[in-house]
Amino acid sequence: MKIVDVEAIWLRVPALDQPCEWGEDALIVRIYTDSGLLGIGETDSSPAVVKALIETPASHETCQGLRDILVGENPLEIDRLWKKMYRHCEYMGRRGVAIHAISALDIALWDIAGQHYGVPVHTLLGGKYRERIAAYGTFIPRPDEAGNRERVRGLLAQGLRSIKLGGAGFGEDLPRDKALLQLVREEIGDDVQLQIDLVGRWRNYSHALVQCDALRQFNLNWIEEPLPSDDTRGLAYLAERSGLRVSGGEGLATRHEFRHFLEASRPAIIQPDITRCGGISEMRYIYELAQLHGAQLVPHGFSTGILLAATVHFLAASEFGELIEYSQSDSPLFRGLVSNLLALEDGHVRVPDSPGLGVILDEAMIERYRVRT
Ligand SMILES: [Mg+2]
């Protein structure tokens, strides 16, 4: 079997000159083979930049487009192809967006392999530990109390027993933050997990420690990115002295960045995004690193049903892959791009057993939202 073509598809709901919200654009890939098998992947990154990285013609040995690197190769040789891509696009970035592009292609290669062998990806990864995975839902605070109560009740109605809030200025005004957390705790009671996402908003370690002390009463499950990820010393102090579980890493890529993050920042939880960290292949190394450092891996995931399926297969085959983020986006790219989207059932996602990733794309939706440049 040989790869005959690689297609990078840029999808966007708003027009190019209109504002775009989280979840309203996407970059998906399709890898075509001479056997007729087709692999699907995606990366939650800058679609135009990723598309260019895939399509660009070669400049020289360490500056090659990813499509050219893959065409003619056997798609089943995933590890060798990952390293070939990493090496031959080295000058475009050994981290960041080049790894995002590799992540999408790696996921598509696993999809092909699963279909070829007639087994789900989680079987190729060593076998599933569970039939379903508990999910948590994220909500972005609204300006009004009634709106916030409605959002929280909507999450509980989905059966979720774990909730995260962040964004919309959360973390910038302590009295307002406390009032919001008080409201959420009133709605969810003491038994539902509650975590907060600061998106690196707190100023420095000592400022963050004051905030943590003030919010401790709300029994927080974790505090996500309280400081920017480069503030390793501040994060390590916070991990040691706040008494709260610090999480982060959704913007990091490769085992190398996660090793540094685990060693220098000492988070309790790391949150790689499978479509950015290097794909399914690299996520396996990152999971083992987390184990070696006594950290839990709870992936970031807020894009289409392709990302969701890849994350589900990975977590199903991970011994402690017990919690998944389930997007609350109303974007058609989440709700409808994958026509057999893995649904929430009583706050859990069922692990699929169809070959490969098992995703079916809605071709009409691709035609409707495809950006043609
Ligand atoms: Mg986050």
Side-chain angles (χ1 to χ4, degrees):
M1 181 164 50
K2 282 194 170 23
I3 295 171
V4 293
D5 199 6
V6 177
E7 186 183 25
I9 302 171
W10 175 6
L11 302 170
R12 186 179 168 101
V13 178
L16 280 177
D17 60 351
Q18 296 299 309
C20 187
E21 295 289 329
W22 199 256
E24 289 186 334
D25 68 354
L27 188 288
I28 66 173
V29 299
R30 289 199 275 216
I31 296 180
Y32 297 87
T33 66
D34 61 1
S35 73
L37 290 182
L38 162 68
I40 296 167
E42 83 158 309
T43 177
D44 181 4
S45 183
S46 169
V49 181
V50 172
K51 190 167 156 62
L53 278 161
I54 291 172
E55 294 176 350
T56 189
S59 295
H60 54 75
E61 186 184 347
T62 46
C63 209
Q64 298 184 16
L66 294 163
R67 178 186 176 280
D68 287 351
I69 293 170
L70 290 179
V71 167
E73 292 282 5
N74 179 350
L76 301 177
E77 298 178 11
I78 301 174
D79 187 63
R80 187 177 66 76
L81 294 182
W82 199 101
K83 290 185 171 67
K84 187 183 180 193
M85 290 191 282
Y86 186 70
R87 161 123 186 86
H88 290 295
C89 75
E90 189 179 332
Y91 283 9
M92 285 101 90
R94 288 158 35 255
R95 308 287 183 267
V97 74
I99 304 299
H100 302 169
I102 290 173
S103 305
L105 297 165
D106 176 82
I107 291 167
L109 292 174
W110 281 96
D111 187 25
I112 291 172
Q115 294 174 62
H116 175 78
Y117 295 114
V119 296
V121 168
H122 58 71
T123 298
L124 292 181
L125 294 173
K128 63 179 173 183
Y129 284 88
R130 56 194 61 79
E131 295 296 335
R132 58 184 210 154
I133 303 168
Y136 79 84
T138 301
F139 87 100
I140 297 169
R142 291 184 180 172
D144 61 306
E145 187 179 319
N148 283 321
R149 289 193 190 278
E150 183 190 327
R151 282 298 279 142
V152 175
R153 287 171 191 170
L155 293 167
L156 294 176
Q158 298 170 54
L160 295 166
R161 305 291 293 163
S162 186
I163 287 173
K164 184 171 90 182
L165 68 90
F170 181 81
E172 290 174 351
D173 180 337
L174 187 55
R176 195 182 63 186
D177 296 342
K178 287 176 73 171
L180 177 60
L181 289 170
Q182 180 70 39
L183 177 154
V184 174
R185 266 289 170 223
E186 278 172 25
E187 289 292 330
I188 68 177
D190 294 333
D191 296 337
V192 172
Q193 291 179 342
L194 175 59
Q195 42 269 3
I196 57 173
D197 189 352
L198 285 312
V199 203
R201 188 166 272 123
W202 286 342
R203 283 169 234 164
N204 52 42
Y205 157 68
S206 46
H207 171 75
L209 195 58
V210 171
Q211 311 294 308
C212 287
D213 286 341
L215 302 181
R216 193 180 313 280
Q217 60 183 293
F218 299 107
N219 187 24
L220 299 172
N221 186 35
W222 75 65
I223 52 170
E224 181 167 326
E225 296 195 314
L227 299 169
S229 58
D230 287 332
D231 187 359
T232 52
R233 184 178 300 185
L235 286 166
Y237 281 147
L238 215 52
E240 192 177 319
R241 296 171 200 177
S242 70
L244 295 168
R245 300 203 301 164
V246 175
S247 74
E250 67 185 64
L252 304 181
T254 76
R255 73 197 80 172
H256 309 294
E257 282 196 339
F258 277 95
R259 183 181 65 174
H260 175 68
F261 182 54
L262 285 158
E263 288 175 354
S265 302
R266 305 215 300 278
I269 297 165
I270 59 168
Q271 298 168 292
D273 185 311
I274 204 162
T275 73
R276 282 199 292 266
C277 72
I280 293 169
S281 298
E282 195 68 3
M283 193 80 145
R284 302 176 83 184
Y285 293 110
I286 294 165
Y287 175 84
E288 294 303 332
L289 276 173
Q291 290 302 113
L292 289 172
H293 288 80
Q296 189 182 352
L297 189 153
V298 180
H300 176 269
F302 209 91
S303 191
T304 80
I306 304 170
L307 173 151
L308 177 63
T311 307
V312 166
H313 281 275
F314 175 79
L315 286 177
S318 301
E319 187 176 5
F320 304 112
E322 291 158 343
L323 187 62
I324 190 167
E325 179 170 19
Y326 196 88
S327 173
Q328 297 295 312
S329 173
D330 292 326
S331 168
L333 297 184
F334 178 62
R335 299 286 161 195
L337 176 67
V338 169
S339 55
N340 58 342
L341 178 72
L342 296 172
L344 262 190
E345 300 169 11
D346 190 27
H348 292 72
V349 184
R350 185 160 296 285
V351 176
D353 287 322
S354 44
L357 288 178
V359 299
I360 299 167
L361 298 180
D362 181 334
E363 296 298 330
M365 191 163 285
I366 292 175
E367 283 312 302
R368 178 170 177 192
Y369 294 114
R370 188 171 192 150
V371 178
R372 291 184 166 80
T373 54

